[in-house]
Amino acid sequence: DIQMTQSPSSLSASAGDRVTITCRASQSITVYLNWYQQKPGKAPKLLIFAASILQTGVPPRFSGSGSGTDFTLTISNLQPEDFATYYCQQSYSAPWTFGQGTKVDFK
Amino acid sequence: EGQLVESGGGLVQPGESLRLSCAASGFTLNSYWMHWVRQVPGKGLVWVSRMNSDGSIIDYAASVKGRFIISRDNAKDTLYLQMNSVRADDTAVYYCARVHTAMAPGGNYYGMDVWGQGTTVTVSS
């Protein structure tokens, strides 16, 4: 199975900050990498697929990059509604696997 | 865009069975791969199982293989997860999710774009 490792596990930030979350795969997954946002008590929401393509309706302050084994999710100009937990997930091969999550909370 | 609604969760004793349902509306289930994902409260997301549009391809996580069965009734636009021989570590919120296929430079790419609200399964004596 492909292991996905996110860092950091949590971070504190303020509105307006630029935040970067990294995700590393245990083997190359080319660009088969998705990012999800989850708020407490809610289902995850797809933000980015294919490592860098923004899902319809997602604000452009979210961006993704990377290929192979190393990926990043960047949130520019952090907004109050962005405080949540973010997960990366590989769709390269079954079993699809998630990172352990990165919680972004208010500093 | 569509909606998914899970049902069937509840309290079940170790070793017993439970069937979860996931009803789709606003789209036709038979056009999509579907997945189950679970989450222990306060913990991360864990992929459980997937099935392709016609049911000919099925995969399971190692932790549930041999105990859980994914199935679908496309005529009813409903996905199922039959959970047998449940254990305490199966306790979680279970989500069903639709897979969106997007064509982009380099190939087709897949993401879970529609999720249900989740149904809670508690395994306890």
Side-chain angles (χ1 to χ4, degrees):
Chain A
D1 297 0
I2 298 173
Q3 308 303 316
M4 306 300 293
T5 304
Q6 285 181 237
S7 62
S9 296
S10 65
L11 65 90
S12 297
S14 300
D17 285 354
R18 179 185 177 94
V19 166
T20 298
I21 298 168
T22 65
C23 178
R24 174 164 289 177
S26 60
Q27 66 181 72
S28 176
I29 56 171
T30 66
V31 292
Y32 285 90
L33 189 283
N34 304 320
W35 289 99
Y36 298 86
Q37 175 194 67
Q38 187 180 33
K39 296 181 179 180
K42 300 294 186 181
K45 173 187 175 182
L46 178 64
L47 297 177
I48 288 171
F49 63 94
S52 62
I53 301 177
L54 224 56
Q55 174 70 347
T56 303
V58 174
R61 64 179 180 272
F62 290 91
S63 63
S65 65
S67 66
T69 60
D70 294 311
F71 302 87
T72 60
L73 171 70
T74 299
I75 312 172
S76 304
N77 188 21
L78 195 69
Q79 296 297 299
E81 60 267 30
D82 301 335
F83 292 96
T85 301
Y86 294 86
Y87 295 91
C88 63
Q89 177 232 347
Q90 63 85 15
S91 57
Y92 181 79
S93 66
W96 288 18
T97 40
F98 291 88
Q100 80 279 16
T102 296
K103 184 176 181 179
V104 177
D105 62 18
F106 186 74
K107 184 183 292 183
Chain B
E1 180 182 73
Q3 185 179 12
L4 295 168
V5 177
E6 298 100 337
S7 61
L11 176 63
V12 59
Q13 294 195 350
E16 294 190 340
S17 298
L18 198 65
R19 189 177 81 160
L20 306 183
S21 300
C22 168
S25 61
F27 68 96
T28 304
L29 195 74
N30 65 12
S31 298
Y32 295 89
W33 284 74
M34 296 295 296
H35 292 230
W36 288 97
V37 174
R38 68 186 182 183
Q39 184 174 37
V40 174
K43 302 296 184 182
L45 300 167
V46 176
W47 180 84
V48 173
S49 182
R50 71 172 182 176
M51 172 180 274
N52 71 337
S53 57
D54 66 6
S56 61
I57 301 175
I58 292 173
D59 292 297
Y60 297 99
S63 59
V64 308
K65 194 170 186 178
R67 300 187 300 120
F68 289 10
I69 301 171
I70 189 173
S71 64
R72 63 198 296 159
D73 185 337
N74 285 334
K76 294 183 178 180
D77 282 326
T78 302
L79 178 75
Y80 301 100
L81 185 68
Q82 178 68 40
M83 305 171 61
N84 300 322
S85 303
V86 297
R87 311 185 304 219
D89 62 359
D90 294 321
T91 295
V93 175
Y94 285 74
Y95 295 101
C96 59
R98 183 184 83 173
V99 173
H100 169 65
T101 301
M103 289 179 284
N108 292 339
Y109 300 94
Y110 316 101
M112 299 180 191
D113 70 331
V114 177
W115 294 67
Q117 84 287 357
T119 188
T120 300
V121 174
T122 303
V123 182
S124 175
S125 55

